[in-house]
Amino acid sequence: SAVISQKPSRDICQRGTSLTIQCQVDSQVTMMFWYRQQPGQSLTLIATANQGSEATYESGFVIDKFPISRPNLTFSTLTVSNMSPEDSSIYLCSVKRLVGGSDEQFFGPGTRLTVL
Amino acid sequence: GDSVTQMEGPVTLSEEAFLTINCTYTATGYPSLFWYVQYPGEGLQLLLKATKADDKGSNKGFEATYRKETTSFHLEKGSVQVSDSAVYFCALVDEKLTFGTGTRLTIIP
């Protein structure tokens, strides 16, 4: 398995501000992923973060709104910029690891963000 | 593209009832299939997986069989407990992980 921690676990923010979420993994991984889970909905992939290169964003997500850093193989940050109430969600970090011959994806505990 | 269609909830059952949560998928390749569970206030955890046709994944009394002919991966449990109350997500991975919409399950004593 993988041990993934996220900070903060939750936050309440004002409209127009930015929040940076940190993700720490217990061992080196090539690919890290950031997901959003809006209230009562499923998980949506925001972007894939590879160390040493720019993050790859999914349709509907842009770097200006969700800048991502990946300074090393165990750490990544996601910033939610210029927040609005529509950004209220749980943000989850995820990593992929080979388990028993097949890839398995593990998730952090999530950061619950409320924007007022 | 790839997609997962999951039985809509919420689902409410009495303790010791039989559970089925339906899941079907669409994929161009040969994906691996997963069920994830999210307990109240917690993160997402892998419940079980199957990597090829006719594989059966099982964990904590839950089972799901990879049915290629019907493109399905239904989750079953013979006797549910109150502690099984959670949101269950069906998912597949081909190039990336794709989730269903989730099914909220509530078990009443």
Side-chain angles (χ1 to χ4, degrees):
Chain A
S1 65
V3 177
I4 306 171
S5 60
Q6 285 185 234
K7 287 182 186 179
S9 58
R10 58 177 64 226
D11 208 342
I12 300 173
C13 300
Q14 296 297 320
R15 182 195 298 261
T17 63
S18 298
L19 176 72
T20 295
I21 302 167
Q22 299 179 8
C23 177
Q24 180 76 51
V25 188
D26 64 338
S27 61
Q28 295 181 346
V29 291
T30 303
M31 297 170 75
M32 294 178 78
F33 307 89
W34 286 98
Y35 286 81
R36 180 174 74 182
Q37 185 180 16
Q38 292 177 299
Q41 297 191 28
S42 188
L43 283 79
T44 303
L45 180 63
I46 298 172
T48 302
N50 295 323
Q51 195 268 337
S53 63
E54 279 201 8
T56 303
Y57 289 82
E58 297 297 307
S59 176
F61 297 96
V62 295
I63 188 170
D64 289 347
K65 175 67 176 177
F66 297 101
I68 288 172
S69 79
R70 183 79 202 274
N72 58 52
L73 291 172
T74 63
F75 186 80
S76 178
T77 67
L78 169 77
T79 299
V80 186
S81 303
N82 188 24
M83 288 184 283
S84 67
E86 292 70 37
D87 295 320
S88 298
S89 292
I90 299 173
Y91 292 85
L92 297 108
C93 172
S94 175
V95 303
K96 194 180 287 189
R97 189 167 279 171
L98 201 61
V99 176
S102 64
D103 278 334
E104 233 173 81
Q105 206 155 325
F106 298 90
F107 289 82
T111 297
R112 185 179 295 270
L113 170 62
T114 302
V115 184
L116 303 178
Chain B
D2 296 347
S3 67
V4 177
T5 302
Q6 193 175 333
M7 174 178 174
E8 293 207 12
V11 174
T12 302
L13 295 172
S14 298
E15 205 166 21
E16 299 183 3
F18 184 86
L19 168 71
T20 301
I21 301 178
N22 289 338
C23 171
T24 57
Y25 68 90
T26 303
T28 52
Y30 299 93
S32 294
L33 302 175
F34 306 86
W35 277 98
Y36 282 85
V37 59
Q38 188 173 36
Y39 296 104
E42 297 186 20
L44 211 61
Q45 301 174 26
L46 179 65
L47 179 60
L48 54 84
K49 69 176 183 181
T51 58
K52 61 183 187 297
D54 300 325
D55 266 3
K56 178 187 283 189
S58 61
N59 187 23
K60 298 182 181 180
F62 291 89
E63 291 184 342
T65 301
Y66 191 141
R67 301 280 188 206
K68 191 164 180 288
E69 63 277 11
T70 54
T71 61
S72 65
F73 193 55
H74 305 321
L75 182 69
E76 296 182 337
K77 185 172 185 180
S79 176
V80 292
Q81 306 300 312
V82 172
S83 57
D84 294 327
S85 298
V87 181
Y88 293 82
F89 293 93
C90 185
L92 67 82
V93 68
D94 202 345
E95 289 188 0
K96 64 178 184 180
L97 194 58
T98 301
F99 286 90
T101 52
T103 302
R104 181 175 297 277
L105 174 65
T106 302
I107 307 300
I108 53 177

